[in-house]
Amino acid sequence: MEKAISRRGFVGLAGASLATMLLSACANGKTDEANVPGASAAAGFDYMVLVNSKHKVPKDWEEHLDLVEEKSLLYDDPVRVERKAYEAWQGLKAELAAEDVYVELDSCYRSMADQQAVIDEFTQEYGAEYARQIVAEPGTSEHQTGLALDLFLVIDGVLVAKNEEMMEHPEVWEKVHAKLADHGFILRYPPRKAIFTECTYEPWHMRYIDDPTIAHQIMDSNTTFEQYLGMELDCIKDCTVDYGTPSLYSDYAIDSTVDVILREFETWDGCHMTRFAYAGDDACGEDELAYVNELRASNEPELEEFGQAIVMVTDFRSPSAKKAQGSAWEPDTDYKDYTWHLGRKDDDDQWHIMSYGYA
């Protein structure tokens, strides 16, 4: 399962000592050596290469990678970006500056060794299981392509580089996103699309795909790179997403339920999710919190008491009679309003599934 988290996000989680860490954008899931059609490095450098938890960077990718270095405003090491992507970035940056919008580069290219160092650091700090959930295995992080650019903001001369602080400026990101496609970039992890990208919303993470026409097709239709390529997971193809108008939780918080729910759903062989929805603020009040804490105390007492509870709803189609044999599912049946009850300690904690099914 891929989960996108920038290095900046962990400042609030574990203190300023993590501010200089190179953090991954992903986690979890088996990976295949094969990538999307045409993505093999043997055919040359492909700006449309898909890299996520299921599709690795082609083995000899770095042989075709031409990197440009730029002095970092945040770290001792320079920022490195693929050359054409860097040239496009310069054009985007200049156009934004003309409108008094100032952005700079944070995390861009990371090598296999960089990625392994992140895993080692997180394993030592938090344990192997947590590291596995948060950090991408080497080869599965889009940053290893040199085509992924994480930005930070400069507002009134102040560097705004922490996730939570950048989230406070949606009007600035709207101006940035409006110009991405003109320069061959896309917003890689849009809001309310985590079911397809396996990553929570990251307004700062853009991806260079070289072709402005295709970039506009993706951005203008509010779709994802996986959907455009037809490479979303089979079990959620054509799934609709409905978060409604929540006030209790942000889209980011709701997106972050995808990681654990989809990991469980993928084990339901032959099932196909058709709807992924937030149950609404009314379903996530004090009664729900008491319920998930009761389940936690009974089944997982080692977990700290939850301070937050959330209910998600899914519709799905069960597998054919042959595949459903021996399972709990009625074959070829539409299951509606299947509920998932989750809890977590606070905003920095991972959601834990405490119950799912029908009440």
Side-chain angles (χ1 to χ4, degrees), residues 80-122:
R80 293 186 288 173
V81 186
E82 190 274 335
R83 186 172 297 276
K84 281 191 73 175
Y86 184 77
E87 292 170 355
W89 149 249
Q90 290 292 310
L92 172 63
K93 179 182 177 181
E95 189 172 330
L96 288 167
E99 297 186 7
D100 295 323
V101 176
Y102 301 99
V103 287
E104 296 290 345
L105 294 177
D106 185 347
S107 179
C108 296
Y109 171 74
R110 295 198 291 266
S111 68
M112 294 284 277
D114 291 335
Q115 201 68 23
Q116 186 59 54
V118 175
I119 292 176
D120 295 342
E121 188 79 24
F122 266 69

Side-chain angles (χ1 to χ4, degrees), residues 77-320:
D77 294 333
V79 178
R80 293 186 288 173
V81 186
E82 190 274 335
R83 186 172 297 276
K84 281 191 73 175
Y86 184 77
E87 292 170 355
W89 149 249
Q90 290 292 310
L92 172 63
K93 179 182 177 181
E95 189 172 330
L96 288 167
E99 297 186 7
D100 295 323
V101 176
Y102 301 99
V103 287
E104 296 290 345
L105 294 177
D106 185 347
S107 179
C108 296
Y109 171 74
R110 295 198 291 266
S111 68
M112 294 284 277
D114 291 335
Q115 201 68 23
Q116 186 59 54
V118 175
I119 292 176
D120 295 342
E121 188 79 24
F122 266 69
T123 299
Q124 182 177 1
E125 186 80 16
Y126 301 107
E129 176 61 20
Y130 187 80
R132 183 188 66 80
Q133 293 180 26
I134 295 298
V135 185
E137 296 179 3
T140 68
S141 170
E142 190 178 66
H143 280 284
Q144 292 177 243
T145 64
L147 303 174
L149 284 67
D150 283 350
L151 311 182
F152 69 91
L153 305 176
V154 182
I155 297 179
D156 296 328
V158 177
L159 307 187
V160 180
K162 291 182 180 180
N163 287 3
E164 59 270 23
E165 293 176 352
M166 290 195 293
M167 286 290 195
E168 295 173 359
H169 300 278
E171 73 288 348
V172 179
W173 290 116
E174 184 177 353
K175 293 178 181 178
V176 175
H177 300 162
K179 295 186 178 298
L180 292 182
D182 290 343
H183 298 271
F185 290 98
I186 60 171
L187 178 63
R188 184 64 179 88
Y189 305 121
R192 303 189 175 200
K193 297 291 185 179
I195 197 71
F196 304 110
T197 64
E198 302 177 74
C199 295
T200 52
Y201 173 46
E202 288 198 343
W204 49 79
H205 184 115
M206 62 181 184
R207 162 64 195 273
Y208 185 64
I209 60 172
D210 188 38
D211 189 329
T213 300
I214 295 177
H216 267 290
Q217 290 172 0
I218 293 172
M219 293 290 292
D220 296 348
S221 61
N222 189 30
T223 190
T224 68
F225 198 38
E226 281 83 359
Q227 289 173 291
Y228 178 83
L229 295 171
M231 296 296 288
E232 67 268 42
L233 296 174
D234 287 339
C235 65
I236 51 90
K237 280 185 183 292
D238 302 318
C239 180
T240 62
V241 177
D242 180 13
Y243 289 1
T245 55
S247 58
L248 186 59
Y249 290 114
S250 66
D251 284 358
Y252 185 92
I254 300 173
D255 275 351
S256 63
T257 66
V258 170
D259 184 30
V260 288
I261 292 176
L262 195 52
R263 194 187 318 155
E264 171 63 30
F265 189 80
E266 282 186 278
T267 68
W268 301 358
D269 187 33
C271 288
H272 183 88
M273 189 182 296
T274 56
R275 183 172 72 105
F276 183 82
Y278 174 55
D281 292 343
D282 291 344
C284 303
E286 292 299 319
D287 289 345
E288 179 64 19
L289 182 59
Y291 174 62
V292 295
N293 267 315
E294 180 182 346
L295 294 175
R296 176 200 59 79
S298 298
N299 303 322
E300 298 189 62
E302 72 281 2
L303 295 176
E304 293 188 51
E305 184 173 11
F306 297 139
Q308 299 178 2
I310 195 169
V311 181
M312 300 300 294
V313 178
T314 57
D315 297 345
F316 64 93
R317 179 79 178 175
S318 64
S320 63

